[in-house]
Amino acid sequence: MDWENWGRLPVGYDLGLLHAYSLAVPATVARIRREFAHVPDTDAGRIGELVALAQLLQACSRGVHPTFAPLIARWAQELTHTPVPPP
């Protein structure tokens, strides 16, 4: 169950949001990756994280979270090995 959207999303969605919102604080990112290492190592975890990043990138393209946009884009590129087009 995903609580942010009150619906069903892949397991890694919540972790993806938590991780993305923490990208500006490397120590927090390291702890999240350590504590929840079992989640992104699964197919559902990877998919959930990518869904969260895609939604955040869409929000960034509308001006939401402008300071996070480059961090989120960089992390999405690292995960997918695909360039993220500028907003």
Side-chain angles (χ1 to χ4, degrees), residues 4-79:
E4 283 85 14
N5 290 318
W6 289 93
R8 293 176 48 124
L9 287 167
V11 172
Y13 181 81
D14 290 324
L15 178 61
L17 284 180
L18 178 62
H19 183 264
Y21 282 120
S22 302
L23 287 171
V25 186
T28 302
V29 168
R31 180 158 185 205
I32 290 167
R33 299 307 279 189
R34 184 177 62 250
E35 297 290 334
F36 297 100
H38 62 285
V39 177
D41 290 341
T42 66
D43 288 341
R46 280 187 294 280
I47 291 168
E49 185 168 15
L50 291 173
V51 169
L53 291 173
Q55 287 184 345
L56 287 171
L57 286 169
Q58 286 179 344
C60 289
S61 73
R62 295 187 305 271
V64 178
H65 309 306
T67 58
F68 283 112
L71 299 171
I72 294 167
R74 191 174 320 123
W75 182 243
Q77 286 180 189
E78 189 170 326
L79 289 178

